[in-house]
Amino acid sequence: MNPKWNEKAHNLSAPLNQIAEADNGRFSPSLPFLGLSLSVTFSLSPLSSSEKQHLHFKTHTNNSSNKTMLACPSSSLHGLATLQRHSQPSHFLLSNSLFFPPSHRLAASRKCNFRSLHCGRSSCRYAFRASADSPEVSESVVGDSGVLQPYSVKIPVGDRHILVETGHIGRQASGSVTVTDGETIVYTTVCLDDVPSEPSDFFPLSVHYQERFSAAGRTSGGFFKREGKTRDHEVLICRLIDRPLRPTMPKGFYHETQILSWVLSYDGLHSPDSLAVTAAGIAVALSEVPMSKAIAGVRVGLVGDKYIVNPTTKEMEHSELDLLLAGTDSAILMIEGYSNFIPEEKLLRAVEVGQDAVRAICNEVEALVKKCGKPKMLDAIKLPPPELYEHVEEIAGDEIVKVLQIRNKIPRRKALSSLEEKVLNILTENGFVTNDLKLRSSSETIAEVLEDEDEDEEVIVDGEVDEGDVHIKPTSHKPALLFSEVDVKLVFKEVTSKFWRKRIVEGGKRSDGRTPDEIRPINSRCGLLPRAHGSALFTRGETQSLAVVTLGDKQMAQRIDGLDGDDELKRFYLQYSFPPSSVGEVGRIGAPSRREIGHGMLAERSLERILPSENDFPYTIRVESTITESNGSSSMASVCGGCLALQDAGVPIKCSIAGIAMGLVLDTKEFGGDGTPLILSDIVGSEDASGDMDFKVAGNEDGITAFQMDIKVGGITLPIMRNALQQARDGRKHILEAMTSCSPPPANRLSKYAPLIHIMKVKPDRVNLIIGSGGKKIKSIIEESGVEAIDADDNGTVKIFAKDLPSLERSKAIISSLAMVPTIGDIYRNCEIKSIASYGVFVEIAPGREGLCHISELSSGWLPKAEDVFKVGDRIDVKLIEINEKGQLRLSLRALLPDTNPDNSNVKQSTGELADGTETSSKSSEKSKDNSSTSKITSSSKRSSEDDSVLPSKKFVRRLVNSSQDNKEKTKKSSNKAVGSVSVKDESSLISGEA
């Protein structure tokens, strides 16, 4: 700043104080410096002698706008202020008084932007900064340096308190607050852009919510150890914050507003989502955003017959209701939740409990705002000129009435667009010709008006001019009859909405000819896609959903990483997509939008309550809903289509449900009604955009499974909600009846392309044997049997997923063998030798289960090498004789062989029992003795006679025969395969020969 300016401003402080005391606080100082004369009129409250008044003046330019700022360090200024231009050159008049509400008088610096003064095309915006000690502000709020100091307040919520703190974190933001419940802390800031954005019919509000993993003492998984893309859960909470705040923002406020919210601490008990809604409402109330009322949010649970406000996560595990409600001290702005078929009356009671809690929070917030809030930027609100509404109605009123009678959406939309273009051409290019000759001369053209405005414009760059270089030439303007394109579009939309409301209230008919409670025609069919596991096409009017169901194993479950620490596996999830072709437009195709995520979650939670338990139906279920046509209530069409697709896939659902969207015209008296709110059933897109409510309800005749309500006005009351819920129940009943006439009907059986699932229960300590080291065993089972997947839980539940029955049976047999509990003394027949070692052979007693038969247990006598007698692939009978501490099995072939006694030269002549249980005489021909040396102990059916092992000597045969006496009782139970392929005849010959 030029040094002369500081000197002038410093010398001005004393005269201002003297004039204020001499003229009861009213003065009009002239500011000759900076080359212009400025006449100012202030209204000041009486000041003490110790208080000083300082007036600072500076000028800066932003693009083509000349901005002048007056800084007066006194919050005693109050009243309203306007800026007027004198007819004399370089002279302005500030008349009326500046208004600072008593609740916003702060010692901290306050910035107020006043309505722009239009000078031709250029606009001069003035801002005043006031600061001084105020007796209404506590010393604990504002320090000596003028900086807001920490301030906290406890607010009762349910059976405990939440702690709200401001002034200690994020002090440079327009509003910042931390809200604590237990050990869960949510930090929220609100910031505004200094320059307003282009006017539009959509408030420039953005909300970002993030759950830091550090809040729970964790770090994110994967390669990048930091939070990345916003997760679906966080997107849903962003929507919960945005939806109640947006309808309370005033029209005409175009400064971009950003709300940032972080979870800094999470204790696992107190959910942060309801705290985030409350924190955002408090932060906006403390900021400069000109919001009318404070907003708060709470969660309501129902455990038994008790309604709990902000229940803990443990309490929510037993709750039949999950309701999140947001509103003001007098009205409800948003509700969303899910329930287990609770009736309408219980839901209304929960809403009433939640509204009482919200009212208590809002009352405390109002007191907090009086102490710590900033002045609202009411001057930044810019509304279209009032006369523009009359011009639009005069030009297009009759044609709007005709266009609204078009039944179909696309022709009606095109007709409205054409009519809007016509109004724009008249009011923005050709100008609207009025009959008032005083306003405009008929000989004056639009070009002349624009040329006069160009002459008044001078661009002044901040810091590049000295005193006397500023020259602003005022002119007496003739009001131009041109309007901005944005203003014309905004007014055209509001006028169209007005005529739409008038048509419904007065005529009792909607755009498509329906009555307020009438449902659009419904058509549905199943089995549309032959290769899909289940499919359905649901059509209601001009809204259509193609729902497809896919069944899979546990690997198809959706994995969710949350603050709780344990990754959640969702066995059911619904994915909603809304392509631009569904509304006949060209648009971007990419990642799912926030709207798609929100609508998909609403439909998912609606259908979740009718699914069977995992024990009854162990499939992972995925539902895809693609909106092929859209004209309102596409999320509820997804509920209806998804229910039919589940039945077509053979999922044994508990019952059928349907969804419906309800609308509202709140003030009917303005449009010729009796003032009673008009509730609309099954609303279309135009009724959603022009109406006051969008209330989606899903369920059946007995109760509600999910609901979501958005309000576009200041809020609704419980009686209105009660009527809407009753009308929605009648609508759901009608839709369910129409769904029963689906043609073709649902298959109600598993598709032949769906995977087969077999559930087995094994002992938990056998699960490790099935999985194996590093999962090697379970992978080998999958490869050997040909199944798709095998899931083994720690509790002993084993699920086999296969495409066909043979592979399923093979894997089932392998797992049964692995899971069996062997007992010492069990005999296993016809077992295959898998491998041979120097110390014995490994025998597979069951698929995937092997045991060691030591070389000492392979024969009754001495055997130098196992491979001399046995070969891989041979089949023998073995007996389990030992299980060591590691669970390894020790088998024996010798225990099943006939017993011989080497000390006795004679064998008992009594009847002997062979391995197959057949009694034979001990007497036999001597000829068998000569053949005993070539008898087989064991052989395989695959082996040829050349490969058969022979006994080493007659001595070995003798021992083999003598051993039969000691094992006489054991061999009774064995089959003829107990000694390999040696026949009964051969054995008899052996015994007889030795005798």
Side-chain angles (χ1 to χ4, degrees), residues 338-457:
Y338 318 99
S339 58
N340 188 17
F341 292 98
I342 67 169
E344 285 77 4
E345 289 301 324
K346 284 189 175 182
L347 177 59
L348 289 170
R349 175 57 184 159
V351 171
E352 185 177 359
V353 171
Q355 188 181 16
D356 293 339
V358 167
R359 184 182 298 111
I361 297 175
C362 291
N363 292 336
E364 296 289 339
V365 172
E366 291 291 346
L368 176 65
V369 171
K370 290 181 180 180
K371 295 182 179 181
C372 306
K374 294 182 179 180
K376 300 299 182 182
M377 295 175 59
L378 300 174
D379 59 291
I381 298 176
K382 298 178 182 179
L383 298 173
E387 62 272 14
L388 182 56
Y389 291 86
E390 300 176 2
H391 296 333
V392 172
E393 289 188 20
E394 184 178 349
I395 295 172
D398 295 337
E399 295 187 43
I400 290 176
V401 174
K402 296 178 181 179
V403 170
L404 291 178
Q405 296 177 6
I406 301 175
R407 289 177 176 266
N408 295 330
K409 173 185 176 180
I410 299 299
R412 183 171 63 249
R413 186 186 67 187
K414 291 183 177 180
L416 282 174
S417 299
S418 177
L419 184 57
E420 184 185 44
E421 189 67 23
K422 174 184 175 182
V423 174
L424 284 171
N425 291 336
I426 294 176
L427 295 179
T428 60
E429 293 182 6
N430 301 326
F432 182 77
V433 181
T434 179
N435 295 327
D436 190 357
L437 298 179
K438 295 181 181 180
L439 294 179
R440 181 170 181 169
S441 174
S442 59
S443 61
E444 185 179 16
T445 63
I446 296 175
E448 292 174 350
V449 174
L450 295 178
E451 183 179 356
D452 293 340
E453 292 178 351
D454 289 340
E455 293 176 357
D456 299 336
E457 183 176 350

Side-chain angles (χ1 to χ4, degrees), residues 239 243-244 247 332-337 500-501 510 520 540 543 576 595 598-599 602 630-637 659-666 678-698 706-713 715-716 720-721 724-725 728:
R239 286 172 51 85
R243 284 159 45 201
I332 302 168
L333 293 172
M334 182 271 297
I335 64 171
E336 179 170 333
W500 171 84
R501 292 164 178 262
R510 295 147 80 171
R520 290 174 290 175
R540 180 167 54 197
T543 299
Y576 168 100
R595 178 183 179 276
H599 281 42
L602 177 63
S630 177
N631 188 14
S633 187
S634 59
S635 61
M636 296 296 98
I660 188 172
M662 312 297 294
L664 174 70
V665 178
L666 187 61
L678 180 62
I679 300 173
L680 307 175
S681 297
D682 187 22
I683 59 175
V684 297
S686 60
E687 295 167 345
D688 184 8
S690 301
D692 298 326
M693 179 183 73
D694 181 13
F695 192 5
K696 301 180 179 68
V697 187
F707 49 89
Q708 183 184 94
M709 183 184 71
D710 294 322
I711 299 297
K712 300 178 178 63
V713 292
I716 65 172
I720 297 176
M721 188 179 296
L725 285 173

Side-chain angles (χ1 to χ4, degrees), residues 762-781:
V762 300
K763 291 188 176 182
D765 58 351
R766 315 303 295 175
V767 173
N768 291 335
L769 296 176
I770 299 173
I771 297 175
S773 177
K776 293 181 179 180
K777 191 61 184 179
I778 201 168
K779 291 179 182 178
S780 66
I781 299 173

Side-chain angles (χ1 to χ4, degrees), residues 555-574:
Q555 302 298 326
M556 204 181 79
Q558 187 178 23
R559 189 179 300 273
I560 299 176
D561 191 10
L563 286 179
D564 294 330
D566 297 331
D567 292 346
E568 178 186 355
L569 290 178
K570 291 179 62 175
R571 59 178 291 262
F572 169 69
Y573 53 96
L574 187 146

